[in-house]
Amino acid sequence: MILPTWFFCYVKGSEGMSTENLKEELNRMPFVKSVAVTWQEISSGYSGIPIYINGKHAFTGWWNHGDFDYLATMGIPLVEGKNFDGPKQIIVSETYVKKMNWTDGAVGKFVENGDSTALGTIVGVMKDVEENAYREPEPIVFMWR
């Protein structure tokens, strides 16, 4: 799956506006199809998060934070579960599930820190995002903002 074109914008006069109010203002514009909020665009090579299996570091995933509208806005489908709608909920990518060697589904499982503290519960699995044709998809951990 290749992502559609996206852009970051600064809206003059938006200082002090809540995220929801800014989204409402942008959505009123006739040429805007959809608005979502995220820490960074999902395939941009953001910070890594160490992923542990049985207390041992297994691999590093890419992590990001976003709102309920992000996956739909970017055209990223869910292949299992649901979109998040509250804190401590996580959506992971198909590659993340493969690297965890889960064959019985991911929904209801936890993403843990190295000290076995749960960062949150997986509520959905999104289709892998192809960043470019020269690399395999990365394991993604996407958290509700």
Side-chain angles (χ1 to χ4, degrees), residues 31-51:
F31 53 86
V32 173
K33 183 176 179 182
S34 181
V35 177
V37 176
T38 185
W39 180 52
Q40 275 182 257
E41 178 264 325
I42 202 152
S43 65
S44 66
Y46 27 85
S47 300
I49 182 171
I51 304 301

Side-chain angles (χ1 to χ4, degrees), residues 100-121:
M100 292 299 288
N101 296 313
W102 291 334
T103 57
D104 58 343
V107 172
K109 295 186 171 143
F110 300 97
V111 175
E112 296 181 357
N113 278 335
D115 63 1
S116 297
T117 305
L119 294 173
T121 304

Side-chain angles (χ1 to χ4, degrees), residues 46-49 51 59-63 91-100 126 128 136-142:
Y46 27 85
S47 300
I49 182 171
I51 304 301
F59 61 93
T60 299
W62 288 6
W63 70 277
I91 295 173
V92 296
S93 65
E94 293 172 303
T95 295
Y96 180 96
V97 174
K98 288 175 195 165
K99 285 190 172 268
M100 292 299 288
M126 67 181 162
D128 278 336
E136 293 295 317
E138 296 289 339
I140 295 174
V141 176
F142 194 60

Side-chain angles (χ1 to χ4, degrees), residues 5 9 14 19 23 27 36 47 58 63 65 67 70 76 82 84 86 95 115 126 129 141 143:
T5 303
C9 70
S14 66
T19 302
K23 283 178 67 175
N27 272 318
S47 300
W63 70 277
H65 295 266
D67 69 2
Y70 188 75
I76 303 170
K82 68 177 186 89
F84 42 44
T95 295
D115 63 1
M126 67 181 162
V129 174
V141 176
M143 299 176 214

Side-chain angles (χ1 to χ4, degrees), residues 17-37:
M17 280 183 100
S18 74
T19 302
E20 292 309 313
N21 286 345
L22 179 56
K23 283 178 67 175
E24 287 174 19
E25 288 294 318
L26 291 171
N27 272 318
R28 283 192 198 114
M29 296 177 181
F31 53 86
V32 173
K33 183 176 179 182
S34 181
V35 177
V37 176

